[in-house]
C-alpha cells in the first residue's frame, strides 16, 4: 500500500517542482554578459522589443555584433521605428539550436517572427527563410521572392533548451520597405488619428488645446490611448458637452501616459499607472488587465480594450481603444443629494443594509467639482497580501536553480523510501 502511495506521490511532487521552477527569461540581462552585443542589447531596450521577447515562452534571438548592428542603424537612418521592425524580424518564434539549424528537414524552412505578429508585415514578409547552404553554412533571408542570403550563422551564444536560444548571425535580415516606418519626429498626430478612425478624439484634442500638451511631451515619452469614433456613440457614453473646459482637458490628459509604453509592454505594468492628468488634486491613474494577447485598461469605472497600434516609434506610441477611458475622479458616482427641510417627526434610523452605497448607474454621471478623496477599501488588504505571497513564491522559484532542483528531486525519492 505504501509503495503504491509513493508511486503516486513522487510523480506529483516532481511535476509540481518542475512547474514552479519554470521562470521567464530576461534577454537583456542575459546579453549583459556579452559585451560584443552591447549595441544590439541597447536597442532592444530603447525599442522595447526586449519586452516582446520576454513575453514569449519559446524564441530564438538572432543577435548582431556591434559592427553589424551599427550597419543596421545606418541603413535605418537612425529611425527607431525602422530598427524596431528589423529587431522583430530577427526574433524567431521557434527554438533553433546549432544542431537543428544544420539538420533542417529538406534543408530549408520558413519560420515566423515577432514582426509577423504585429500585423504590419505584408503577406508572409514577417517570416524568415533559413536554408542549409553549401559547405555547411546556414543562411538567413527574408521570405520575399528573390531575397539573397546575405546573413549567415556565426556561432551559438546561449541556449536554454526548448525555450530560449541566442544565435549570432553575420548581418541583419532586411527586405525593401522594412525600415521605412512612420517616425514620430515627422508624424502628424491628428492626421494619424483621423486615418485610424478616431476623428472625434482628434477634433477634441485640437479644439481643447490638449494637442499642444501632447506635442510638448513627445520628446520625453508619450503613450496615447485614442478612442475610436464608435466609442463616443456607445450606449452609456457620457455627454462630454456637459463637462467644463477644465474637466474636458483633464479627461483628454487622462488618455495619455507620460512615457513610452507600446502595447507589448503594457502587461508588464503592475499596480496603478500615472497618466498626464495625475496630480496632487487627484490620482487619475489606471491599471492594466491582460489575458493572453488581449490587453485592457481598467479605470475603476470601466474597462477598455487596447485594439491596435497607430504609431510605435520610440519615444512615442499611439494606440486605439474600444471605449472612452473614464476616471473615477470625474465619473465615479453620483454626488450626495442636497439636504431637505428638517422634519418634526423623528425619522427611524436606517437599517444597516441601507448604508451600503447604491450601485453606479450605467449612465455615468459627471462631477463638476473635485470629489472627496477616495477611501481605501478594506478589500484591498487581502489582495495585497495575496500579491505578496505570489511574489514570495516567485522569488523562491527563481532562487531554486539546477542544484536546488536536483536536491528537491532527491528529497522526493527519500520521502518515497520512508513511506515504503
Amino acid at each position: 500500500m505504501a509503495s503504491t502511495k509513493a508511486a503516486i506521490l513522487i510523480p506529483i511532487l516532481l511535476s509540481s517542482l518542475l512547474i514552479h521552477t519554470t521562470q521567464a527569461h530576461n534577454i537583456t540581462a542575459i546579453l549583459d554578459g556579452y559585451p560584443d552585443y552591447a549595441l544590439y542589447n541597447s536597442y532592444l531596450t530603447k525599442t522595447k522589443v526586449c519586452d516582446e521577447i520576454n513575453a514569449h515562452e519559446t524564441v530564438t534571438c538572432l543577435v548582431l555584433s556591434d559592427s553589424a548592428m551599427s550597419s543596421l542603424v545606418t541603413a535605418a537612418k537612425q529611425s527607431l521605428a525602422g530598427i524596431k521592425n528589423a529587431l522583430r524580424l530577427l526574433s524567431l518564434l521557434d527554438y533553433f539550436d546549432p544542431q537543428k539549424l544544420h539538420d533542417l528537414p529538406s534543408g530549408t524552412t520558413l519560420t515566423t517572427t515577432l514582426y509577423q505578429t504585429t500585423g504590419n508585415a505584408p503577406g508572409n514578409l514577417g517570416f524568415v527563410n533559413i536554408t542549409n547552404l553549401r559547405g555547411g553554412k546556414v543562411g538567413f533571408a527574408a521570405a520575399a521572392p528573390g531575397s539573397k542570403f546575405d546573413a549567415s550563422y556565426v556561432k551559438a551564444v546561449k541556449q536554454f533548451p526548448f525555450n530560449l536560444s541566442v544565435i549570432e548571425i553575420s548581418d541583419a535580415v532586411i527586405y525593401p520597405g522594412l525600415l521605412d516606418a512612420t517616425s514620430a519626429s515627422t508624424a502628424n498626430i491628428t492626421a494619424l488619428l483621423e486615418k485610424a478612425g478616431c476623428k472625434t478624439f482628434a477634433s477634441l484634442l485640437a479644439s481643447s488645446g490638449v494637442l499642444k500638451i501632447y506635442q510638448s511631451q513627445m520628446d520625453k515619452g508619450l503613450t496615447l490611448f485614442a478612442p475610436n469614433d464608435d466609442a463616443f456613440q456607445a450606449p452609456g457614453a457620457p455627454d462630454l458637452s456637459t463637462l467644463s473646459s477644465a474637466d474636458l482637458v483633464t479627461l483628454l490628459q487622462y488618455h495619455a501616459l507620460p512615457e513610452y509604453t507600446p502595447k507589448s509592454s503594457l502587461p508588464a505594468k503592475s499596480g496603478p499607472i500615472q497618466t498626464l492628468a495625475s496630480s496632487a488634486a487627484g490620482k487619475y491613474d489606471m491599471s492594466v488587465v491582460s489575458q493572453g494577447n488581449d490587453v485592457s485598461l481598467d479605470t475603476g469605472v470601466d474597462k477598455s480594450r487596447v485594439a491596435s497600434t497607430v504609431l510605435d516609434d520610440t519615444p512615442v506610441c499611439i494606440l486605439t481603444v474600444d471605449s472612452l477611458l473614464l476616471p473615477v475622479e470625474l465619473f465615479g458616482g453620483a454626488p450626495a443629494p442636497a439636504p431637505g427641510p428638517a422634519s418634526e417627526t423623528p425619522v427611524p434610523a436606517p437599517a444597516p443594509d441601507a448604508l451600503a452605497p447604491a450601485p453606479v448607474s450605467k449612465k455615468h454621471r459627471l462631477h463638476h467639482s473635485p470629489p472627496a478623496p477616495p477611501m481605501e477599501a478594506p478589500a484591498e488588504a487581502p489582495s495585497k497580501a495575496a500579491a505578496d505571497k505570489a511574489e514570495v513564491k516567485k522569488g523562491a522559484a527563481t532562487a531554486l536553480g539546477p542544484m536546488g532542483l536536483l536536491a528537491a528531486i532527491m528529497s522526493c525519492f527519500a520521502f518515497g523510501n520512508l513511506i515504503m
Side-chain angles (χ1 to χ4, degrees):
M1 184 68 177
S3 61
T4 302
K5 289 182 179 179
I8 295 173
L9 287 173
I10 289 176
I12 293 174
L13 289 170
L14 289 175
S15 298
S16 177
L17 285 169
L18 290 172
I19 290 171
H20 287 289
T21 53
T22 299
Q23 50 184 304
H25 39 252
N26 185 327
I27 184 61
T28 53
I30 292 169
L31 291 177
D32 279 342
Y34 298 90
D36 290 345
Y37 313 115
L39 187 59
Y40 171 91
N41 201 19
S42 70
Y43 275 99
L44 284 184
T45 302
K46 290 178 182 179
T47 60
K48 299 288 187 178
V49 171
C50 56
D51 291 336
E52 299 179 38
I53 292 172
N54 294 339
H56 283 78
E57 183 178 352
T58 303
V59 63
T60 296
C61 295
L62 304 179
V63 301
L64 302 174
S65 66
D66 283 353
S67 59
M69 188 67 204
S70 180
S71 297
L72 171 61
V73 172
T74 300
K77 299 177 181 178
Q78 309 290 329
S79 167
L80 284 176
I83 294 170
K84 185 168 189 173
N85 286 347
L87 293 178
R88 282 169 164 168
L89 194 63
L90 293 176
S91 303
L92 315 180
L93 300 185
D94 196 356
Y95 181 80
F96 290 93
D97 57 17
Q99 181 177 352
K100 185 175 179 179
L101 286 174
H102 288 89
D103 296 328
L104 295 173
S106 304
T108 185
T109 187
L110 278 179
T111 187
T112 191
T113 69
L114 282 177
Y115 186 53
Q116 185 69 21
T117 66
T118 65
N120 297 328
N124 68 342
L125 293 185
F127 286 74
V128 166
N129 181 348
I130 308 175
T131 298
N132 294 147
L133 306 174
R134 292 180 180 179
K137 292 181 62 177
V138 179
F140 300 82
S147 296
K148 296 181 179 180
F149 290 96
D150 293 327
S152 59
Y153 171 85
V154 175
K155 65 180 179 180
V157 179
K158 187 75 174 178
Q159 277 72 46
F160 298 88
F162 312 113
N163 291 116
L164 175 68
S165 179
V166 182
I167 300 289
E168 181 186 342
I169 62 174
S170 60
D171 293 287
V173 177
I174 299 175
Y175 65 83
L178 177 67
L179 305 179
D180 300 335
T182 303
S183 174
S185 60
T186 58
N188 183 322
I189 292 180
T190 53
L192 287 173
L193 291 174
E194 289 174 358
K195 185 177 179 180
C198 305
K199 294 181 179 180
T200 303
F201 186 68
S203 176
L204 288 172
L205 292 181
S207 62
S208 65
V210 174
L211 179 62
K212 293 181 179 179
I213 298 176
Y214 285 174
Q215 291 170 334
S216 67
Q217 182 66 35
M218 288 175 66
D219 290 340
K220 305 171 188 175
L222 177 71
T223 300
L224 174 59
F225 302 113
N228 57 41
D229 290 338
D230 292 339
F232 292 88
Q233 306 299 327
D239 181 3
L240 300 187
S241 65
T242 63
L243 285 174
S244 68
S245 297
D247 284 346
L248 178 60
V249 167
T250 299
L251 177 62
L252 296 175
Q253 287 181 304
Y254 185 72
H255 283 72
L257 308 182
E259 61 182 21
Y260 169 67
T261 309
K263 183 179 178 180
S264 58
S265 298
L266 283 172
K269 294 286 185 180
S270 60
I273 303 174
Q274 288 196 334
T275 67
L276 280 181
S278 298
S279 66
K283 292 183 178 179
Y284 288 101
D285 54 29
M286 63 180 72
S287 59
V288 177
V289 179
S290 61
Q291 184 174 6
N293 293 327
D294 289 332
V295 180
S296 297
L297 303 174
D298 188 347
T299 68
V301 175
D302 210 346
K303 294 179 182 178
S304 181
R305 185 179 71 93
V306 179
S308 61
T309 299
V310 178
L311 174 67
D312 184 356
D313 181 23
T314 310
V316 178
C317 185
I318 301 177
L319 306 168
T320 63
V321 290
D322 287 344
S323 58
L324 287 168
L325 303 179
L326 306 178
V328 172
E329 289 81 357
L330 291 178
F331 303 93
S343 172
E344 296 181 1
T345 306
V347 179
D353 289 345
L355 295 176
V360 179
S361 170
K362 183 65 178 176
K363 185 70 175 179
H364 306 293
R365 302 186 182 183
L366 308 176
H367 289 300
H368 293 285
S369 59
M375 299 293 290
E376 291 293 331
E380 290 180 0
S383 63
K384 185 179 185 302
D388 292 341
K389 289 181 181 178
E391 286 298 320
V392 171
K393 290 181 180 179
K394 180 180 178 182
T398 303
L400 187 60
M403 295 306 296
L405 176 59
L406 178 60
I409 293 173
M410 296 303 293
S411 298
C412 289
F413 282 106
F415 172 73
N417 291 331
L418 285 175
I419 64 176
M420 283 193 270

